[in-house]
């Protein structure tokens, strides 16, 4: 059983999708516990996998006992062993959180919601665990299709936003598939490890260059890297609360993971950095993404929409860390996968809770919320400080490594961008915090006594995951040294 | 030059199809036309994959006569892997199509139109 | 240099953090219990800090490493003489500020008191963290916590003016934080270490251009909270905050944290040797001297009492930085000691301003005529503290200025002796009229000539700080060898020369 852990990560949620469907059609209420069981089991499997990787190194799991490169192989090294628990943990949190918001927003679609939810998580986990380029494409599309379906369930603008996402996502997936085709045509292999061995001899070939470019564009669309992010703000704004709380932390992070995988494992770092200026271009795009995302966020009056633009900016951080192409930058990027997952999880769950209790989410309508939902708002503040990069929250530490990486790479402009984005984020979030906590008036304040403190706090199933995410943000920062020394420093691809 | 086009005509067709599909997905205002474009795009990719496997005078990768080492002549077989990959890809594409059409139905129910600019206008 | 591993610095930081949580969970319903937490935590914190003094006076260093943050840098507390000095000062003043705050917010029936005390406690934790931080990163972490925790206090009144003041405060301090962060990371990338060392650790690392650049941005960064001109603008604006907050900002936490950071950079990151080599010390000293004079002139022009005090703070902080940047044993001793003596004196002055406001709702100097007869204790304390700020014996300001003056002569920079004298004259010029008018001028509108003081919870703390200022002036070592801590720190720094 223990040895099967890598495949169980994916198989459990996949199988439980059907279990949830069958039991759900019989009795609606059963879906929720089934989803929680499935995700908990999957989470245990990811932890087990991580444990094996830490104690005994990289796991090669051969599906159906076919030898690679013919059969599909699951390879778990430090990098994906690190990302897997993040994904399944976030998924559990969102699953717990989803109960009330789904009952309210999607009361007639509960069963379908949970089935697709599991498929979505299956997709994310599959992308992360697989060691096969084509298998990755299939999981990418499972995740994306589930995402389109989930987003469509949202409010008024959702179907159209979802359709746009579908068009963009399909283009991205097709580009990725073309990239796979070019690599296969040149090497005859789909296995990542095998490709990494075969490719260096062909680095001069134009086929490889074209394939690489297709990969980059495809992944940039999937991870919503500026300027290919256009689908994201609409889609995540109109999606149901639980869906944006699941997709926002994970889709972009998984995209970043695949980016690291492709440009630094399948291709060697010296190809992506020296032979092609891909890493440098990535840096510049990322810098533009960071500034653009923050600037667009400034212009928003809708809190959730503002967060989606911040997400665009956060993707910029990830890409910048990858593009800097040195140990510290990459450490920052990998650490940011974890940190940003928690930050976005917390923020989007808070927005969902606000909408659940309050209905609206315009920034100007949020006054007094700190009295009505004190704990939720406290977590919002913590997450906001983390996005700004105030220590000791976790966001500070990823920023630390990113800046360190930028200094090591002598990318002074990127240093300036990272620093400036902190300020922009500060403006963004303190504007909201000011709106929530402070009430401008001219003289003496009359205490509003008809408002019972905490009367409208989020329901317990929402509050618990929110608090856990908040606690995570606070503790991950201090623990980041430990995380880096036990996992991330080994997760950095060879060649750095 | 002409030779290059003729001898690799299937790749040229793939590129042309891809561009047509791409244009329809980005440029067309009607949502169903976008979906059609998407299908053309995907078909182009299938064509590309199959082209990489094709071989003049190649045969099915099934061992037909006899057995033992002499029966497997890799050079005369068409590579089966791209075909298999495309079977999977077709499944993916059909699912995408299904989801896309379902979304379009949703959109039509809500806006009573499938023209992008009208939807954008109604969305305001 | 002997090092002892001790958990006490961590406890000193945690005790207020725990108190902050207790405060928020106790809430508005049980006000007395909530205030009890504040007082209990402040007393506990003070006793923990005091318990470390004997070790430090023995020349030992207390160290506690919590967790490694990044290779070569840990979240680490390291209590040396300088940190100890600041720690004793902040924790001692917090006890008084707490008592005073309770009197103030209840006297004015302020809103959101729970938030107020919560942030207050967080501020103190952060200040203690700054005092005991063993390296630049730990210092920065607490520095930023302090920034964020102070913001709700500055904007506490939630008037339009207060919110703008809060924004301005944030813009200045967060920008500064980012600059410091950049410099910190840069230093880390140069050396792989950030641990403070008496006499500096940057000697021989990096080119002199790089080091000069780093020094400039670090001083600019910490200079914002230390309100060095021209980065001082936030401080007068932040005066919209409730008076205990101003007192905290000025005397205990924020600006002192800035000045403490400046001194850490000057003396423990760069160090005298390196600064002499780079010829930066004199430039910084002139820079500070400029602030000393100009802020004194500004102070003259203010009518709002708190704003005048704010400019006086800017003036004194620049004197501290000037003393440290002269890099002679006595000027450093004087500079460090002035952190303490100015703390006691300035907190008295702010307490007085607050007491006047609570009692009479008057904020402007021109309205204070004759009030001394009504509030003799308050104005008596004001007179003592104001004299001290001007450097008149026997108040503690005299001791620090005396050492600063000797230090200026030691450094063979007579100019700064004159700067100190001019600043003292300016101090007299902007404080003396207040005292004189309060006691001797007849009031514009009839004032109750009988004894009618602010609540005792406010008057007692301000009397105590005034008396402490006096005692420190006569016996600088009266409390926990306060002065010796400063001179030992100076000796340790220059011992590395």
């Amino acid at each position: 059983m223990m040895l099967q852990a890598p495949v169980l990560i994916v198989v459990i949620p996949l199988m439980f999708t059907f279990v949830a469907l069958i039991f759900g059609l019989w009795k609606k209420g059963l879906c929720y516990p089934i989803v929680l069981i499935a995700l908990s089991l999957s989470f245990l499997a990811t932890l087990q996998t991580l444990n094996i990787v830490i104690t005994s190194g990289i796991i090669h799991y051969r599906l159906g006992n076919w030898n690679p490169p013919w059969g599909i192989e699951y390879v778990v090294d430090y990098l994906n062993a690190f990302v897997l628990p993040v994904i399944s943990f976030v998924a559990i949190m969102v699953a717990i959180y989803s109960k009330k918001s789904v009952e309210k927003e999607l009361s007639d679609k509960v069963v379908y919601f949970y089935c697709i939810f599991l498929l979505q998580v299956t997709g994310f986990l599959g992308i992360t665990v697989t060691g096969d380029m084509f298998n990755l494409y299939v999981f990418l599309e499972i995740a994306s299709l589930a995402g389109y379906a989930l987003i469509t369930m949202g409010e008024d603008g959702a179907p159209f936003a979802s359709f746009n996402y579908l068009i963009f996502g399909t283009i991205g997936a097709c580009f990725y598939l073309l990239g796979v085709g070019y690599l296969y045509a040149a090497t005859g292999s789909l296995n990542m490890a095998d490709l990494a061995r075969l490719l260096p001899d062909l680095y001069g070939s134009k086929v490889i260059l074209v394939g690489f470019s297709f990969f980059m564009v495809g992944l940039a669309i999937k991870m919503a890297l500026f300027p290919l992010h256009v689908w994201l703000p609409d889609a995540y704004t109109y999606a149901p609360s639980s869906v944006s709380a699941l997709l926002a932390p994970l889709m972009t992070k998984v995209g970043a993971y695949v980016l690291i995988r492709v440009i630094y494992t399948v291709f060697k770092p010296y190809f992506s950095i020296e032979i092609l200026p891909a890493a440098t271009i990535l840096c510049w795009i990322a810098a533009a993404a960071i500034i653009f995302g923050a600037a667009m966020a400034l212009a928003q009056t809708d809190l959730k929409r503002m967060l989606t633009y911040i997400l665009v900016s956060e993707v910029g951080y990830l890409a910048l860390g990858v593009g800097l192409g040195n140990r510290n930058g990459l450490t920052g990027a990998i650490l940011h996968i974890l940190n940003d997952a928690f930050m976005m999880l917390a923020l989007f769950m808070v927005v969902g809770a606000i909408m659940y209790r309050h209905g609206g989410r315009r920034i100007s309508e949020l006054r007094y919320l700190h009295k009505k939902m004190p704990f939720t708002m406290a977590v919002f503040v913590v997450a906001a400080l983390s996005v700004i990069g105030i220590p000791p929250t976790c966001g500070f530490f990823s920023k630390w490594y990113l800046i360190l990486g930028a200094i090591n790479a002598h990318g002074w402009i990127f240093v300036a961008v990272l620093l400036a984005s902190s300020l922009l984020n500060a403006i963004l979030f303190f504007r909201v915090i000011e709106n929530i906590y402070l009430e401008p008036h001219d003289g003496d304040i009359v205490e509003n006594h008809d408002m019972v403190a905490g009367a409208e706090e989020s329901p317990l199933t929402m509050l618990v995951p929110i608090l856990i995410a908040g606690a995570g943000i606070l503790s991950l920062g201090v623990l980041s040294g430990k995380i880096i020394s036990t996992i991330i420093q080994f997760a950095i691809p060879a060649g750095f | 030059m002409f030779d290059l086009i003729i001898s690799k005509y299937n790749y040229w067709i793939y590129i042309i199809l891809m561009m047509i599909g791409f244009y329809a997905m980005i440029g067309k205002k009607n949502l169903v036309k976008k979906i059609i474009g998407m299908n053309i795009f995907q078909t182009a990719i299938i064509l590309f994959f199959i082209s990489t496997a094709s071989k003049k005078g190649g045969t099915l990768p099934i061992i037909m006569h006899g057995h033992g080492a002499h029966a497997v002549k890799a050079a005369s077989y068409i590579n089966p892997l791209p075909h298999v990959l495309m079977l999977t890809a077709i499944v993916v594409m059909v699912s995408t199509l299904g989801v896309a059409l379902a979304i379009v139905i949703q959109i039509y129910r809500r806006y009573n139109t499938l023209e992008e600019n009208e939807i954008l206008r109604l969305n305001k | 240099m002997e090092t002892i591993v001790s958990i006490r610095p961590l406890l000193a930081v945690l005790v207020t953090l725990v108190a902050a949580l207790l405060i928020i969970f106790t809430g508005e319903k049980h006000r007395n219990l909530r205030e009890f937490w504040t007082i209990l935590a402040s007393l506990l914190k003070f006793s923990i800090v005091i318990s470390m003094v004997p070790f430090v006076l023995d020349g030992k260093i207390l160290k506690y490493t919590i967790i490694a943050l990044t290779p070569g840098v840990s979240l680490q507390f390291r209590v040396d003489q300088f940190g100890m000095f600041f720690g004793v000062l902040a924790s001692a003043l917090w006890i008084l500020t707490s008592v005073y705050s309770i009197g103030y917010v209840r006297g004015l029936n302020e809103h959101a008191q729970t938030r107020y005390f919560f942030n207050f406690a967080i501020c103190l934790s952060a200040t203690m963290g700054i005092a005991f931080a063993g390296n630049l990163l730990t210092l920065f972490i607490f520095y930023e916590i302090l920034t964020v925790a102070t913001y709700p206090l500055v904007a506490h009144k939630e008037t339009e003016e207060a919110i703008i003041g809060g924004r301005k405060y944030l813009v200045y301090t967060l920008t500064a934080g980012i600059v410091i962060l950049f410099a910190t990371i840069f230093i880390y990338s140069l050396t792989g270490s950030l641990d403070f060392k008496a006499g500096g650790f940057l000697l021989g690392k990096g080119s002199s251009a790089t080091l000069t650049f780093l020094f400039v941005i670090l001083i600019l960064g910490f200079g914002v909270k230390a309100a060095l001109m021209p980065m001082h603008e936030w401080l007068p604006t932040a005066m919209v905050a409730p008076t205990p907050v101003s007192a905290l900002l000025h005397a205990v936490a924020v600006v002192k944290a800035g000045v403490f950071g400046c001194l850490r950079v000057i003396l423990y990151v760069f160090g005298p040797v390196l600064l002499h080599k780079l010829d930066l010390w004199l430039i910084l000293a002139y820079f500070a001297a400029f602030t000393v004079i100009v802020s004194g002139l500004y102070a003259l022009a203010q009518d709002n009492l708190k704003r005048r005090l704010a400019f006086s703070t800017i003036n004194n902080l620049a004197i501290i930085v000037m003393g440290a940047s002269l890099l002679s044993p006595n000027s450093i001793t004087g500079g460090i000691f002035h952190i303490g003596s100015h703390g006691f004196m300035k907190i008295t002055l702010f307490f007085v301003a607050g007491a006047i406001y609570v009692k009479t709702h008057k904020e402007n100097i021109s309205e204070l005529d004759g009030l001394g007869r009504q509030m003799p204790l308050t104005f008596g304390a004001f007179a003592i503290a104001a004299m001290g700020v001007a450097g008149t014996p026997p108040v503690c300001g005299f001791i620090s200025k005396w050492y600063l003056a000797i230090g200026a002569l030691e450094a063979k920079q007579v100019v700064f002796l004159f700067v100190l004298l001019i600043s003292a004259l300016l101090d007299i010029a902007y404080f003396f009229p207040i005292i004189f008018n309060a006691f001797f001028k007849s009031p514009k509108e009839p004032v109750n000539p009988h004894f009618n003081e602010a609540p005792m919870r406010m008057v007692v703390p301000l009397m105590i700080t005034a008396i402490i200022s006096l005692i420190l002036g006569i016996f600088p070592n009266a409390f926990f060898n306060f002065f010796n801590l400063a001179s030992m720190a100076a000796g340790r720094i220059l011992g590395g020369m």
Side-chain angles (χ1 to χ4, degrees):
Chain A
M1 197 65 183
M2 265 171 57
L3 289 174
Q4 307 294 334
V7 77
L8 285 179
I9 295 171
V10 181
V11 168
I12 291 171
L14 186 62
M15 286 305 161
F16 271 85
T17 307
F18 301 106
V19 177
L21 182 65
I22 292 161
F23 281 89
L25 289 178
W26 173 46
K27 240 190 188 129
K28 230 173 162 182
L30 285 174
C31 272
Y32 182 68
I34 288 174
V35 168
L36 286 188
I37 292 167
L39 291 175
S40 312
L41 289 175
S42 174
F43 181 56
L44 288 180
T46 58
L47 286 184
Q48 178 64 35
T49 314
L50 178 63
N51 190 27
I52 297 175
V53 170
I54 288 176
T55 49
S56 51
I58 300 175
I59 303 173
H60 292 271
Y61 183 89
R62 287 157 196 178
L63 284 184
N65 224 1
W66 289 93
N67 281 340
W70 298 283
I72 292 171
E73 184 189 31
Y74 282 0
V75 181
V76 188
D77 62 4
Y78 279 92
L79 180 54
N80 43 9
F82 172 71
V83 178
L84 283 169
V86 177
I87 295 173
S88 49
F89 184 77
V90 169
I92 292 180
M93 287 301 121
V94 179
I96 297 173
Y97 169 88
S98 66
K99 189 173 194 319
K100 291 281 176 186
S101 90
V102 170
E103 276 172 14
K104 188 179 179 189
E105 289 172 32
L106 310 165
S107 51
D108 51 335
K109 297 177 194 146
V110 178
V111 180
Y112 305 109
F113 170 83
Y114 281 117
C115 292
I116 304 176
F117 186 94
L118 278 179
L119 268 183
Q120 176 81 59
V121 179
T122 311
F124 287 145
L125 292 168
I127 294 171
T128 315
V129 82
T130 188
D132 183 282
M133 294 301 267
F134 189 77
N135 199 231
L136 199 155
Y137 164 76
V138 176
F139 278 120
L140 198 62
E141 280 305 84
I142 291 179
S144 302
L145 287 173
Y148 309 143
L150 286 175
I151 290 170
T152 315
M153 293 180 189
E155 53 195 78
D156 246 5
F160 186 62
S162 174
F163 184 81
N164 272 338
Y165 179 22
L166 183 140
I167 294 291
F168 266 94
T170 307
I171 294 174
C174 287
F175 275 22
Y176 177 87
L177 185 58
L178 277 171
V180 173
Y182 277 80
L183 287 203
Y184 180 74
T187 63
S189 179
L190 292 169
N191 184 289
M192 288 181 188
D194 205 33
L195 280 170
R197 208 173 45 250
L198 292 170
L199 278 173
D201 297 335
L202 301 164
Y203 278 165
S205 152
K206 286 212 175 66
V207 179
I208 299 297
L209 294 182
V210 173
F212 184 82
S213 321
F214 275 131
F215 276 133
M216 293 292 276
V217 177
L219 291 175
I221 292 178
K222 285 288 180 189
M223 73 186 280
L225 182 60
F226 173 85
L228 300 172
H229 67 283
V230 284
W231 56 268
L232 187 139
D234 272 344
Y236 287 6
T237 308
Y238 296 128
S241 313
S242 321
V243 174
S244 31
L246 179 72
L247 291 181
L250 294 184
M251 191 72 211
T252 47
K253 306 301 159 309
V254 169
Y257 159 76
V258 180
L259 186 71
I260 297 175
R261 205 29 115 205
V262 169
I263 75 174
Y264 290 142
T265 311
V266 176
F267 291 87
K268 291 275 176 264
Y270 71 86
F271 175 79
S272 312
I273 297 170
E274 282 156 30
I275 299 181
L276 280 183
T280 315
I281 294 171
L282 196 62
C283 278
W284 285 101
I285 292 174
I290 292 171
I291 295 298
F292 171 86
M296 282 303 286
L298 268 180
Q300 306 306 320
T301 52
D302 177 333
L303 183 59
K304 201 171 174 188
R305 211 174 171 77
M306 182 188 112
L307 292 181
T308 60
Y309 278 106
I310 287 171
L311 183 59
V312 172
S313 168
E314 296 293 320
V315 173
Y317 286 124
L318 293 166
L320 182 58
V322 176
L324 284 172
N326 55 40
R327 260 198 107 78
N328 283 317
L330 216 53
T331 306
I334 297 172
L335 188 63
H336 204 53
I337 290 181
L338 169 70
N339 292 346
D340 197 40
F342 268 82
M343 273 145 48
M344 289 300 140
L345 174 70
L347 287 173
F348 276 90
M349 286 200 302
V350 167
V351 174
I354 292 175
M355 283 169 65
Y356 180 78
R357 278 295 186 215
H358 190 64
R361 49 171 201 240
R362 296 184 73 77
I363 293 171
S364 52
E365 289 170 357
L366 302 178
R367 193 141 288 147
Y368 297 126
L369 272 187
H370 70 292
K371 289 233 173 74
K372 293 180 193 160
M373 17 191 3
F375 292 106
T376 313
M377 285 304 119
V379 173
F380 179 79
V381 171
V382 168
L385 293 181
S386 184
V387 174
I388 298 169
I390 304 278
T393 54
C394 60
F396 167 73
F397 289 93
S398 25
K399 211 161 255 188
W400 170 273
Y401 284 100
L402 289 174
I403 295 176
L404 194 56
I407 289 178
N408 288 350
H410 298 289
W412 304 112
I413 294 192
F414 307 132
V415 176
V417 165
L418 286 168
L419 294 172
S421 84
S422 278
L423 275 187
L424 279 173
N425 282 332
I427 296 170
L428 274 170
F429 276 110
F430 275 106
R431 184 177 63 137
V432 181
I433 291 172
E434 211 176 66
N435 247 309
I436 296 172
Y437 279 85
L438 304 178
E439 171 199 12
H441 60 93
D442 308 323
D444 300 314
I445 288 185
V446 188
E447 286 278 328
N448 201 340
H449 282 298
D450 52 301
M451 201 147 37
V452 186
E456 289 182 39
E457 187 52 87
S458 345
L460 207 59
T461 50
M462 286 182 156
L463 189 59
V464 169
I466 289 177
L467 287 178
I468 292 175
I473 290 171
L474 280 178
S475 52
L476 284 176
V478 182
L479 293 174
S480 64
K482 195 100 193 126
I483 296 169
I484 288 168
S485 62
T486 43
I487 307 171
I488 295 182
Q489 61 163 325
F490 304 108
I492 292 169
F496 285 108
Chain B
M1 183 64 206
F2 196 64
D3 252 15
L4 188 68
I5 294 172
I6 292 296
S7 63
K8 302 244 189 261
Y9 68 94
N10 43 354
Y11 290 98
W12 288 108
I13 290 173
Y14 132 69
I15 289 169
I16 291 164
L17 279 178
M18 193 173 97
M19 287 304 142
I20 292 171
F22 198 60
Y23 165 74
M25 281 168 99
I26 303 292
K28 287 289 172 196
K29 291 286 175 228
N30 187 298
L31 301 190
V32 173
K33 284 185 184 162
K34 277 174 185 275
I35 294 178
I36 293 170
M38 184 175 87
N39 261 333
I40 298 173
F41 194 177
Q42 291 170 332
T43 313
I45 294 173
I46 296 176
L47 179 59
F48 163 70
F49 265 84
I50 302 300
S51 300
T52 61
S54 75
K55 216 171 258 175
K56 282 235 166 69
T59 161
L60 298 176
I62 299 172
I63 301 171
M64 289 197 286
H65 308 292
H67 27 244
H70 66 277
V72 184
K73 275 185 250 153
S76 59
Y77 291 136
I78 287 173
N79 186 353
L81 194 78
H83 296 79
V84 178
L85 294 183
M86 281 311 103
L87 276 179
T88 317
I90 287 169
V91 173
V92 172
M93 287 161 192
V94 169
S95 334
T96 314
L97 179 65
V99 174
L101 289 173
I103 295 174
V104 165
I105 291 170
Q106 283 280 328
I107 293 174
Y108 189 74
R109 283 201 189 131
R110 212 161 290 193
Y111 301 101
N112 234 359
T113 173
L114 287 177
E115 294 298 320
E116 194 177 12
N117 32 19
E118 280 182 47
I119 294 170
L120 285 175
R121 192 167 49 78
L122 289 170
N123 245 354
K124 285 239 163 69
Chain C
M1 199 170 7
E2 203 183 333
T3 318
I4 308 170
V5 176
S6 166
I7 200 168
R8 285 177 208 181
L10 177 65
L11 288 178
V13 173
L14 280 184
V15 74
T16 26
L17 217 54
V18 173
L21 291 177
L22 288 172
I23 286 167
I24 211 147
F25 283 109
T26 309
E28 204 70 48
K29 276 184 201 145
H30 312 280
R31 292 169 123 202
N32 289 330
L33 182 61
R34 185 185 68 196
E35 264 69 299
F36 169 73
W37 296 129
T38 305
I39 301 290
L40 180 70
S42 64
L43 290 173
L44 264 179
K45 178 179 232 122
F46 186 62
S47 43
I48 295 170
V49 172
I50 289 309
S51 75
M52 291 187 279
V53 172
F55 298 103
V56 177
L57 279 174
D58 276 357
K60 291 171 187 156
I61 281 179
L62 286 90
K63 213 172 189 175
Y64 189 74
T65 308
I66 301 164
I67 193 165
L69 292 177
T70 171
V73 182
S74 303
L75 188 60
Q76 187 185 56
F77 294 119
R78 183 174 160 280
V79 188
D80 58 3
Q81 288 93 353
F82 184 36
M84 197 66 239
F85 182 87
F86 187 41
V88 170
L89 172 74
S91 58
L93 288 180
W94 191 41
I95 301 176
L96 300 165
T97 319
S98 310
V99 178
Y100 180 84
S101 284
I102 295 167
Y104 183 89
V105 293
R106 293 204 177 172
L108 286 179
N109 203 10
E110 279 279 348
H111 71 118
Q113 291 184 17
T114 308
R115 182 177 84 196
Y116 176 88
F117 285 110
F118 171 77
N119 284 309
F120 228 93
I122 300 275
C123 273
L124 256 291
S125 274
T127 311
M128 219 39 69
I130 292 169
F132 297 152
N135 54 48
L136 207 48
L137 179 56
T138 311
L139 185 121
F140 178 74
I141 289 174
F142 287 103
Y143 199 77
E144 290 289 270
I145 294 176
L146 181 63
T147 303
V148 174
T150 318
Y151 163 70
L153 293 174
V154 173
H156 182 81
K157 284 186 180 166
E158 299 183 21
T159 53
E160 206 66 62
E161 197 191 356
I163 289 176
I164 289 169
R167 277 187 204 155
K168 199 171 207 172
Y169 171 74
L170 267 187
V171 169
Y172 271 83
T173 49
L174 283 180
T175 316
I178 281 162
V179 171
I180 298 168
L181 174 65
F182 170 64
T184 307
I185 299 178
F186 204 140
I187 291 175
Y188 177 69
S189 76
L190 281 180
T191 63
S193 160
L194 291 170
D195 290 349
F196 291 132
K197 189 165 157 278
F201 64 86
L202 277 181
L203 191 63
K205 309 269 171 56
S207 67
S208 56
T210 316
L211 287 176
T212 309
F213 170 69
L214 282 174
F215 185 73
V216 169
I217 61 171
L218 268 176
I219 291 296
L220 286 179
F222 283 112
V224 167
K225 263 195 194 147
L228 284 178
M229 281 183 172
M231 292 95 73
H232 68 285
E233 200 16 58
W234 63 272
L235 189 57
T237 321
M239 285 304 105
V240 294
T243 308
V245 174
S246 307
L248 174 98
L249 282 169
H250 282 251
V252 192
V254 178
V255 293
K256 285 293 151 61
V259 124
F260 183 82
C262 278
L263 262 55
R264 277 282 193 218
V265 169
I266 297 171
L267 304 171
Y268 290 80
V269 176
F270 283 81
V273 183
L274 183 59
L275 289 179
H276 272 294
K277 217 177 102 192
L278 295 171
D279 276 331
L280 284 169
W281 62 285
L282 201 55
I283 299 171
L284 178 61
Y286 275 114
F287 183 57
F290 169 80
T291 308
V292 171
I293 305 289
V294 176
S295 60
L297 293 172
Y298 263 107
L300 274 178
Q302 306 300 324
D303 187 38
N304 184 307
L305 179 57
K306 279 171 75 182
R307 278 182 73 89
R308 185 172 288 190
L309 293 180
F311 279 103
S312 156
T313 304
I314 298 172
N315 170 299
N316 281 285
L317 295 169
I319 287 178
I320 297 170
V321 174
M322 189 175 89
S325 59
L326 286 175
L327 299 176
S328 69
N330 282 315
S331 73
I332 295 176
T333 309
I336 295 176
F337 190 69
H338 200 53
I339 294 182
S341 57
H342 173 250
F344 282 107
M345 296 180 303
K346 190 47 63 68
I347 207 164
T348 312
L349 294 175
F350 272 105
F351 283 174
V352 168
I356 296 169
Y357 180 70
V358 167
K359 192 69 212 164
T360 65
H361 283 271
K362 284 175 181 163
E363 284 182 318
N364 289 335
I365 293 162
S366 49
E367 301 167 340
L368 300 181
D369 298 354
L371 266 181
R373 269 168 275 181
Q374 182 195 336
M375 308 169 77
L377 297 177
T378 310
F379 275 91
F382 186 88
I384 292 173
M387 275 161 61
V389 172
T392 327
V395 192
C396 57
F398 167 69
I399 308 278
S400 34
K401 293 216 172 162
W402 175 258
Y403 276 89
L404 284 165
I406 296 177
L409 291 177
E410 266 178 357
K412 303 195 177 55
Q413 297 294 333
V414 189
V415 185
F416 298 103
L417 194 61
F418 286 105
V419 171
L420 282 171
L421 286 176
I422 294 169
S423 125
L425 284 176
L426 285 169
D427 286 337
I428 293 170
Y430 58 74
F431 278 135
F432 189 69
I434 305 176
I435 304 167
F436 180 85
N437 292 346
F439 280 111
F440 302 113
K441 207 169 177 186
S442 55
K444 286 191 189 106
E445 49 194 274
V447 168
N448 183 0
H450 301 293
F451 182 83
N452 188 6
E453 277 284 0
M456 274 305 131
R457 262 186 295 217
M458 304 177 74
V459 176
V460 171
L462 68 88
M463 298 272 293
I464 293 175
T465 50
I467 290 166
I468 292 177
S469 314
L470 259 180
I471 296 174
L472 278 179
I474 304 163
F475 310 105
N477 271 326
F479 302 99
F480 320 108
N481 291 306
F482 206 48
F483 182 77
N484 280 0
L485 282 173
S487 63
M488 279 173 80
R492 188 54 70 64
I493 293 157
L494 293 166
M497 238 177 146

